Structure formats: structure tokens, C-alpha cells
Amino acid sequence: IVTLEKLGCAKCPSIISLSSLASLPRESHLKELIINGCNLNPTHEDDWDDAFQAIGNATGSNDFTLSITSDNTMTFLPSSIRHLKAKQGKVKIVLSGTRNLQRLPHDIGQLQNMVRLDVRWCPALTSLPWTIGRLPPTCKVVINTDRINRQTQINNRQTQTVKGMEPQFKVPRQRFITGLINFSIFSSRLVAEVTHELYRPGGAGYHRAKDEFEKRLNNLGA
């Protein structure tokens, strides 16, 4: 298995995770993993985490291509895909034809070594995470799903670079940061108002603090 460069699984309904790859030797030469028509279930995150970590840490090959295509039942790509950032070479992720795929993880934006993301023919995928904008500017994204184009207002070119898509992902990022700042301000004001209401003279907190103080004062005097 150390010298194995390409591994493919097709029409294997009993395969639900990549757990068997968790024991992949560090010196493995695996360059490409192709999974076609299997019942992949990413809800068991630990299994996927161990497998992607083993693939990412394998030093026998710098480049790696993950192809999960054609009728796989997987509904989302697990966040453990981030472990592929450890590869020293080029990473490609091909998900074309995964008809049940509904979302990609925000962690995909950590893959600064990715050169291609293919999500063609994924009708259930209606949007892309804004972290796609963090991928290398030259990374090519292949899309032909009209629903994604409408959601993100990405132009209809099937293949485009992350740099060309950048304006569409700046707005969600700015909205997220603005929302986070507003929530922080609101939370601080709410805490201050609740504290004032509790501990003002006559408030529930005021009486509790007063009783506790008098109790301790009496204990000191005893």
C-alpha cells in the first residue's frame, strides 16, 4: 500500500466512510482517490478526520486529487477536508455528479494549495461558502449549476478563477464581520442593562447582595 498511487472504489454500497485510510503509512505515495457510487456518510466526523489527516501527512507524494463523483449519497463535504492543507503540492477536489451534495464546509478556505474545485452537476448545491474567496487567486472553480449562479450572482462561465469570483464573496464576508461587531455591542449593552436592573436599590439582586453582606457581617461579629 506504500507504493500505491491511485485507489478507486465504484458501486460499493457498503462503503460509508474513509475510515480504512486512517492507517495510511506516512510514506504513502497515494496521489488520487476516486469514489464512485458509494453510500458515503460524513456524519461520522471522526472517521473522516483521521483519514484526511493521514492523507495530508503522507510524504510519499506532494500532489493529491480527491474525486467523489457520480451518484454518491453524500450530502455534505466534511470540515476535516482542511487536513489536506498539509500537502506540499497541488490539491484538486472533484465532486461533479454528486447529486445529493448540499453544502461545502467553510474550512475549505484553508486549502491554500488547492488548484481546482469541480462542483458540476450538483443540483442540490445552492450556494458556496464565502471562504471560497480565501483560496488562491489562480484556483479554478468549475460550476454549471444555475441555482448557485443565481444565489451568488456569479457569471455563467463554467470555469473561472477565485480572483474572478472575488467580488461576490466580499459582500458576505463584510456582512458577517458587521453582524459580529453589532452582536458584541448589543450583548455588552444587554449585560449592562440587566446588571443595573438587578442591583439597583429595590431590585432582586440588590436584596440578595444586601442579605449576604449582613449575614457575613453578623458572622464576623459572632
PDB file of all heavy atoms in Angstrom, residues 20-40:
ATOM      1  N   SER A  20     -10.913   3.362   6.703  1.00  0.00           N
ATOM      2  CA  SER A  20      -9.827   2.410   6.438  1.00  0.00           C
ATOM      3  C   SER A  20      -8.532   3.102   6.031  1.00  0.00           C
ATOM      4  O   SER A  20      -7.447   2.526   6.119  1.00  0.00           O
ATOM      5  CB  SER A  20     -10.243   1.420   5.347  1.00  0.00           C
ATOM      6  OG  SER A  20     -10.590   2.110   4.165  1.00  0.00           O
ATOM      7  N   LEU A  21      -8.639   4.365   5.595  1.00  0.00           N
ATOM      8  CA  LEU A  21      -7.442   5.106   5.184  1.00  0.00           C
ATOM      9  C   LEU A  21      -6.737   5.774   6.360  1.00  0.00           C
ATOM     10  O   LEU A  21      -5.683   6.371   6.188  1.00  0.00           O
ATOM     11  CB  LEU A  21      -7.807   6.162   4.141  1.00  0.00           C
ATOM     12  CG  LEU A  21      -8.271   5.634   2.780  1.00  0.00           C
ATOM     13  CD1 LEU A  21      -8.691   6.781   1.881  1.00  0.00           C
ATOM     14  CD2 LEU A  21      -7.167   4.808   2.114  1.00  0.00           C
ATOM     15  N   ALA A  22      -7.310   5.651   7.542  1.00  0.00           N
ATOM     16  CA  ALA A  22      -6.699   6.272   8.723  1.00  0.00           C
ATOM     17  C   ALA A  22      -5.346   5.648   9.045  1.00  0.00           C
ATOM     18  O   ALA A  22      -4.485   6.284   9.662  1.00  0.00           O
ATOM     19  CB  ALA A  22      -7.629   6.148   9.930  1.00  0.00           C
ATOM     20  N   SER A  23      -5.150   4.409   8.606  1.00  0.00           N
ATOM     21  CA  SER A  23      -3.888   3.713   8.864  1.00  0.00           C
ATOM     22  C   SER A  23      -2.904   3.849   7.702  1.00  0.00           C
ATOM     23  O   SER A  23      -1.912   3.122   7.634  1.00  0.00           O
ATOM     24  CB  SER A  23      -4.158   2.226   9.134  1.00  0.00           C
ATOM     25  OG  SER A  23      -4.850   1.634   8.036  1.00  0.00           O
ATOM     26  N   LEU A  24      -3.161   4.787   6.813  1.00  0.00           N
ATOM     27  CA  LEU A  24      -2.275   5.010   5.670  1.00  0.00           C
ATOM     28  C   LEU A  24      -0.868   5.364   6.161  1.00  0.00           C
ATOM     29  O   LEU A  24      -0.700   6.276   6.981  1.00  0.00           O
ATOM     30  CB  LEU A  24      -2.826   6.144   4.814  1.00  0.00           C
ATOM     31  CG  LEU A  24      -2.252   6.321   3.407  1.00  0.00           C
ATOM     32  CD1 LEU A  24      -2.698   5.186   2.494  1.00  0.00           C
ATOM     33  CD2 LEU A  24      -2.721   7.654   2.829  1.00  0.00           C
ATOM     34  N   PRO A  25       0.172   4.637   5.709  1.00  0.00           N
ATOM     35  CA  PRO A  25       1.540   4.934   6.163  1.00  0.00           C
ATOM     36  C   PRO A  25       1.970   6.352   5.795  1.00  0.00           C
ATOM     37  O   PRO A  25       1.538   6.899   4.785  1.00  0.00           O
ATOM     38  CB  PRO A  25       2.390   3.904   5.415  1.00  0.00           C
ATOM     39  CG  PRO A  25       1.443   2.831   5.013  1.00  0.00           C
ATOM     40  CD  PRO A  25       0.129   3.508   4.775  1.00  0.00           C
ATOM     41  N   ARG A  26       2.784   6.943   6.609  1.00  0.00           N
ATOM     42  CA  ARG A  26       3.241   8.309   6.368  1.00  0.00           C
ATOM     43  C   ARG A  26       4.025   8.419   5.063  1.00  0.00           C
ATOM     44  O   ARG A  26       4.011   9.469   4.408  1.00  0.00           O
ATOM     45  CB  ARG A  26       4.107   8.777   7.547  1.00  0.00           C
ATOM     46  CG  ARG A  26       4.443  10.264   7.511  1.00  0.00           C
ATOM     47  CD  ARG A  26       5.155  10.722   8.746  1.00  0.00           C
ATOM     48  NE  ARG A  26       5.461  12.136   8.706  1.00  0.00           N
ATOM     49  CZ  ARG A  26       4.626  13.112   9.027  1.00  0.00           C
ATOM     50  NH1 ARG A  26       3.410  12.813   9.424  1.00  0.00           N
ATOM     51  NH2 ARG A  26       4.973  14.378   8.951  1.00  0.00           N
ATOM     52  N   GLU A  27       4.690   7.342   4.679  1.00  0.00           N
ATOM     53  CA  GLU A  27       5.490   7.370   3.447  1.00  0.00           C
ATOM     54  C   GLU A  27       4.679   6.960   2.216  1.00  0.00           C
ATOM     55  O   GLU A  27       5.231   6.707   1.142  1.00  0.00           O
ATOM     56  CB  GLU A  27       6.712   6.458   3.596  1.00  0.00           C
ATOM     57  CG  GLU A  27       6.416   4.978   3.845  1.00  0.00           C
ATOM     58  CD  GLU A  27       6.206   4.656   5.328  1.00  0.00           C
ATOM     59  OE1 GLU A  27       5.984   5.594   6.112  1.00  0.00           O
ATOM     60  OE2 GLU A  27       6.265   3.459   5.669  1.00  0.00           O
ATOM     61  N   SER A  28       3.358   6.927   2.331  1.00  0.00           N
ATOM     62  CA  SER A  28       2.485   6.520   1.233  1.00  0.00           C
ATOM     63  C   SER A  28       2.646   7.434   0.015  1.00  0.00           C
ATOM     64  O   SER A  28       2.862   8.635   0.141  1.00  0.00           O
ATOM     65  CB  SER A  28       1.029   6.537   1.695  1.00  0.00           C
ATOM     66  OG  SER A  28       0.157   6.381   0.601  1.00  0.00           O
ATOM     67  N   HIS A  29       2.504   6.840  -1.190  1.00  0.00           N
ATOM     68  CA  HIS A  29       2.610   7.575  -2.447  1.00  0.00           C
ATOM     69  C   HIS A  29       1.241   7.873  -3.067  1.00  0.00           C
ATOM     70  O   HIS A  29       1.154   8.224  -4.243  1.00  0.00           O
ATOM     71  CB  HIS A  29       3.442   6.781  -3.456  1.00  0.00           C
ATOM     72  CG  HIS A  29       4.907   6.746  -3.143  1.00  0.00           C
ATOM     73  ND1 HIS A  29       5.429   6.047  -2.085  1.00  0.00           N
ATOM     74  CD2 HIS A  29       5.969   7.340  -3.753  1.00  0.00           C
ATOM     75  CE1 HIS A  29       6.742   6.193  -2.049  1.00  0.00           C
ATOM     76  NE2 HIS A  29       7.098   6.977  -3.051  1.00  0.00           N
ATOM     77  N   LEU A  30       0.175   7.732  -2.293  1.00  0.00           N
ATOM     78  CA  LEU A  30      -1.168   7.900  -2.833  1.00  0.00           C
ATOM     79  C   LEU A  30      -1.349   9.306  -3.421  1.00  0.00           C
ATOM     80  O   LEU A  30      -1.198  10.310  -2.732  1.00  0.00           O
ATOM     81  CB  LEU A  30      -2.213   7.661  -1.740  1.00  0.00           C
ATOM     82  CG  LEU A  30      -3.682   7.656  -2.202  1.00  0.00           C
ATOM     83  CD1 LEU A  30      -3.929   6.501  -3.168  1.00  0.00           C
ATOM     84  CD2 LEU A  30      -4.623   7.566  -1.007  1.00  0.00           C
ATOM     85  N   LYS A  31      -1.696   9.350  -4.712  1.00  0.00           N
ATOM     86  CA  LYS A  31      -1.876  10.619  -5.410  1.00  0.00           C
ATOM     87  C   LYS A  31      -3.331  10.905  -5.762  1.00  0.00           C
ATOM     88  O   LYS A  31      -3.704  12.070  -5.950  1.00  0.00           O
ATOM     89  CB  LYS A  31      -1.060  10.629  -6.716  1.00  0.00           C
ATOM     90  CG  LYS A  31       0.441  10.622  -6.531  1.00  0.00           C
ATOM     91  CD  LYS A  31       1.131  10.676  -7.882  1.00  0.00           C
ATOM     92  CE  LYS A  31       2.645  10.724  -7.733  1.00  0.00           C
ATOM     93  NZ  LYS A  31       3.318  10.757  -9.060  1.00  0.00           N
ATOM     94  N   GLU A  32      -4.140   9.857  -5.860  1.00  0.00           N
ATOM     95  CA  GLU A  32      -5.514  10.053  -6.308  1.00  0.00           C
ATOM     96  C   GLU A  32      -6.448   9.042  -5.652  1.00  0.00           C
ATOM     97  O   GLU A  32      -6.159   7.847  -5.603  1.00  0.00           O
ATOM     98  CB  GLU A  32      -5.604   9.935  -7.833  1.00  0.00           C
ATOM     99  CG  GLU A  32      -6.955  10.275  -8.398  1.00  0.00           C
ATOM    100  CD  GLU A  32      -6.964  10.323  -9.917  1.00  0.00           C
ATOM    101  OE1 GLU A  32      -5.929   9.987 -10.528  1.00  0.00           O
ATOM    102  OE2 GLU A  32      -8.005  10.706 -10.495  1.00  0.00           O
ATOM    103  N   LEU A  33      -7.572   9.547  -5.144  1.00  0.00           N
ATOM    104  CA  LEU A  33      -8.602   8.695  -4.548  1.00  0.00           C
ATOM    105  C   LEU A  33      -9.907   8.968  -5.277  1.00  0.00           C
ATOM    106  O   LEU A  33     -10.386  10.100  -5.324  1.00  0.00           O
ATOM    107  CB  LEU A  33      -8.749   9.007  -3.059  1.00  0.00           C
ATOM    108  CG  LEU A  33      -9.861   8.268  -2.303  1.00  0.00           C
ATOM    109  CD1 LEU A  33      -9.614   6.759  -2.320  1.00  0.00           C
ATOM    110  CD2 LEU A  33      -9.976   8.771  -0.873  1.00  0.00           C
ATOM    111  N   ILE A  34     -10.475   7.913  -5.871  1.00  0.00           N
ATOM    112  CA  ILE A  34     -11.692   8.040  -6.659  1.00  0.00           C
ATOM    113  C   ILE A  34     -12.778   7.171  -6.029  1.00  0.00           C
ATOM    114  O   ILE A  34     -12.600   5.960  -5.863  1.00  0.00           O
ATOM    115  CB  ILE A  34     -11.468   7.604  -8.120  1.00  0.00           C
ATOM    116  CG1 ILE A  34     -10.312   8.391  -8.745  1.00  0.00           C
ATOM    117  CG2 ILE A  34     -12.741   7.778  -8.932  1.00  0.00           C
ATOM    118  CD1 ILE A  34      -9.908   7.878 -10.118  1.00  0.00           C
ATOM    119  N   ILE A  35     -13.900   7.791  -5.673  1.00  0.00           N
ATOM    120  CA  ILE A  35     -15.012   7.059  -5.074  1.00  0.00           C
ATOM    121  C   ILE A  35     -16.259   7.347  -5.900  1.00  0.00           C
ATOM    122  O   ILE A  35     -16.686   8.491  -6.027  1.00  0.00           O
ATOM    123  CB  ILE A  35     -15.237   7.465  -3.607  1.00  0.00           C
ATOM    124  CG1 ILE A  35     -13.957   7.260  -2.806  1.00  0.00           C
ATOM    125  CG2 ILE A  35     -16.376   6.662  -2.997  1.00  0.00           C
ATOM    126  CD1 ILE A  35     -14.034   7.722  -1.374  1.00  0.00           C
ATOM    127  N   ASN A  36     -16.838   6.280  -6.434  1.00  0.00           N
ATOM    128  CA  ASN A  36     -17.940   6.422  -7.382  1.00  0.00           C
ATOM    129  C   ASN A  36     -19.104   5.514  -6.959  1.00  0.00           C
ATOM    130  O   ASN A  36     -18.934   4.307  -6.835  1.00  0.00           O
ATOM    131  CB  ASN A  36     -17.447   6.051  -8.779  1.00  0.00           C
ATOM    132  CG  ASN A  36     -18.492   6.273  -9.853  1.00  0.00           C
ATOM    133  OD1 ASN A  36     -19.679   6.152  -9.620  1.00  0.00           O
ATOM    134  ND2 ASN A  36     -18.043   6.568 -11.060  1.00  0.00           N
ATOM    135  N   GLY A  37     -20.276   6.104  -6.723  1.00  0.00           N
ATOM    136  CA  GLY A  37     -21.460   5.300  -6.457  1.00  0.00           C
ATOM    137  C   GLY A  37     -21.447   4.547  -5.147  1.00  0.00           C
ATOM    138  O   GLY A  37     -21.822   3.373  -5.101  1.00  0.00           O
ATOM    139  N   CYS A  38     -21.014   5.202  -4.051  1.00  0.00           N
ATOM    140  CA  CYS A  38     -20.986   4.560  -2.733  1.00  0.00           C
ATOM    141  C   CYS A  38     -21.898   5.325  -1.768  1.00  0.00           C
ATOM    142  O   CYS A  38     -22.339   6.437  -2.056  1.00  0.00           O
ATOM    143  CB  CYS A  38     -19.559   4.523  -2.188  1.00  0.00           C
ATOM    144  SG  CYS A  38     -18.414   3.601  -3.238  1.00  0.00           S
ATOM    145  N   ASN A  39     -22.178   4.721  -0.627  1.00  0.00           N
ATOM    146  CA  ASN A  39     -23.080   5.342   0.351  1.00  0.00           C
ATOM    147  C   ASN A  39     -22.301   6.118   1.409  1.00  0.00           C
ATOM    148  O   ASN A  39     -22.418   5.852   2.610  1.00  0.00           O
ATOM    149  CB  ASN A  39     -23.948   4.272   1.022  1.00  0.00           C
ATOM    150  CG  ASN A  39     -24.960   3.674   0.074  1.00  0.00           C
ATOM    151  OD1 ASN A  39     -25.526   4.375  -0.760  1.00  0.00           O
ATOM    152  ND2 ASN A  39     -25.173   2.375   0.176  1.00  0.00           N
ATOM    153  N   LEU A  40     -21.519   7.069   0.969  1.00  0.00           N
ATOM    154  CA  LEU A  40     -20.698   7.832   1.909  1.00  0.00           C
ATOM    155  C   LEU A  40     -21.564   8.628   2.875  1.00  0.00           C
ATOM    156  O   LEU A  40     -22.511   9.305   2.472  1.00  0.00           O
ATOM    157  CB  LEU A  40     -19.773   8.779   1.146  1.00  0.00           C
ATOM    158  CG  LEU A  40     -18.706   8.109   0.284  1.00  0.00           C
ATOM    159  CD1 LEU A  40     -17.890   9.165  -0.458  1.00  0.00           C
ATOM    160  CD2 LEU A  40     -17.792   7.244   1.119  1.00  0.00           C
TER     161      LEU A  40
END
